[in-house]
Amino acid sequence: MAHDDRRLRVLRAIVQDYVSTNDPVGSKALAARYDLGVSPATIRNDMAVLEEEGYITQPHTSAGRVPTDKGYRFFVDRLSAIKPLSAAERKAIEKFLDGAVDLHDVLGRSVRLLAQLTRQVAVVQYPTLARSAVRHLELVPLSTSRLLMVLITDTGRVEQRVVEVPVDTEAETVAELRTLLNTAFTGAKLGEASDKVGDLVDNSAPHLRPLVAAVSATMLETLVEPSEDRLVIGGTANLAQGSALDFPGTFRPLLEALEEQVVVLRLMAEVGPSTVTVSIGEENEHEALTAASFVSVGYGSGDQALGGLGVVGPTRMDYAGNIAAVRAVARYVGHLLAES
Amino acid sequence: MAHDDRRLRVLRAIVQDYVSTNDPVGSKALAARYDLGVSPATIRNDMAVLEEEGYITQPHTSAGRVPTDKGYRFFVDRLSAIKPLSAAERKAIEKFLDGAVDLHDVLGRSVRLLAQLTRQVAVVQYPTLARSAVRHLELVPLSTSRLLMVLITDTGRVEQRVVEVPVDTEAETVAELRTLLNTAFTGAKLGEASDKVGDLVDNSAPHLRPLVAAVSATMLETLVEPSEDRLVIGGTANLAQGSALDFPGTFRPLLEALEEQVVVLRLMAEVGPSTVTVSIGEENEHEALTAASFVSVGYGSGDQALGGLGVVGPTRMDYAGNIAAVRAVARYVGHLLAES
DNA sequence: GCCTGGCACTCGCGTGGACCGAGTGCCAGC
DNA sequence: GCTGGCACTCGGTCCACGCGAGTGCCAGGC
């Protein structure tokens, strides 16, 4: 119908205008700026309907309209065309991420890049250990009863733990152990390694058994929370921008929630690769995020995401732009990790 | 003289009062709350002198006095007795830091602890690589022409780099190389390792020379900025508390400077172990920090600091408490790193 | 000589009322 | 079904005012 169609255009215009100006938008301003082909009075009628249906609301009687969470949701689902990044932006991404020396560096650069592109807070998760494969497992004797286990994965994560071994060990024994463990685990996904441990212990030489058990146990421990999950956060300064406007009274809780990491990690747990997830305002369960939106996507070359990344900002954000940026950075990070 | 002495007590009272109330403090309030033994009128005279000398100032004519940077400086240098932490606080520190599984965990816990104790932003520097000793150097072949070098230090830092080797290598050669490098470098301070490289290359078997050179070069590269320096930051939510009051207009730049890390690292470069450094307001060169104070100290068991840690907050902070907290946490971190 | 109480003065801040303008809903007409 | 007109609402801004905290100065007392 012509009417419905126009109403959608009105909603889109309201969202766009409000996102860029941060002022409640009135019928007159809309008519002036968006060339909708109808008069302010008609727009007013449409706005009344949109308000009735819950897509927009008035902060107070004599003010313009502001999109509700439902309005943003509708906008994101139906109205926004993904705007491709400009050539300059693509180039910037490449330039920014090239020359990273290790995983830490890759993720650090990504988070800064993403924060800069979107002018929001960016979060990047380290590759999940469970979905990473063992590249090498190193044992360094600290004393006769303590070993330092260093686990190197194909995604570039390195985890280290001190293992207290139940019996005194000598250098040769350690060497044996190292060979044994590497033969068994190299190339295996860590999430599936636990299945192998039982057999491995049973089949190893008696004098090695307690050692194999101790080291394996420690290795599997690296998979459990909270050390398993790590997050890099950047661009919090962007939040400070209009904090009083966008997060009245919830600015501090929001920063706390970000630092807590748990909240963000939980949100990120659901992301799949190449499908951008957007959760808007009240859709977020955590109270501190009810005034914020979270745009996230998984990265990784395969069909399963190695980790997630995204941006957090006010519900009043440039969804189209942020979705594009998040997706582009995820793709580059996926490539970078695959080729190293 | 009795007068000078009283004036100092007045200054101290002003600082204490202002720190705890955040209100400019007047002569009457001082007389009422601090039992200085003299009348408000006398205090007014003293305050006039203190203002003359630049230790305090009036925000406007009919308001109380506020300490200047110079006033805080004097307070820190001469007037504040370090208040020892309470038994409960000591216990909390121990409890909080025990159970850390690796370096990342130790520093992460430290920064959270420090932020919690001081209610300020806490920063903790990773142990400087140059002052760490090599515990083990591992080489993992990625292909015949690329090796992954993993450098493990006695402070728990692990650095990894991909080394492009000039000639194709086989497993045996890598093993040889690994033994050679570990024999040469294990136990050596990284800062002094560069001296050894030349000799090592000359004295190694001809077929290993290019490899030794390549790996050594990469190892030394880990020492240069910026990857050499890493920082953990926590408690930024504490800044949001009274940001409008304490940092009018400089809140965003301050967050940016913290994220930038460079600024903080530069400040931290000067710290020695066990001597707490306080830099106040305008004493900080970086513009974003001119409304902030930075309390820092080095940690490490020896005479040279392995790294630094500290807190950043408004000049209006509890210096005595923060100095005590920073010192205590540094001591614990030093112990923890020494014993692992 | 130093401290003290008194006093006049200053000035920022909070309060309250008036004004203004943006925006709306409704209605009659095209 | 769209449009122009109109009366109404109501939050933000401005301004005038009074209050109160705080000061500086001075004369008197210990």
Side-chain angles (χ1 to χ4, degrees), chain B residues 134-153:
Chain B
V134 178
R135 175 173 278 160
H136 184 78
L137 199 142
E138 182 57 26
L139 298 172
V140 185
L142 296 178
S143 69
T144 52
S145 66
R146 294 168 80 215
L147 294 176
L148 180 70
M149 179 199 75
V150 181
L151 176 66
I152 305 166
T153 73

Side-chain angles (χ1 to χ4, degrees), chain A residues 183-206:
Chain A
T183 310
F185 291 124
T186 301
K189 294 273 180 202
L190 266 168
E192 298 154 10
S194 60
D195 305 339
K196 299 195 177 187
V197 172
D199 281 358
L200 186 65
V201 173
D202 291 346
N203 294 336
S204 49

Side-chain angles (χ1 to χ4, degrees), chain B residues 118-134:
Chain B
T118 62
R119 310 204 140 269
Q120 309 290 351
V121 176
V123 292
V124 177
Q125 186 187 8
Y126 269 71
T128 301
L129 279 179
R131 300 200 193 119
S132 302
V134 178

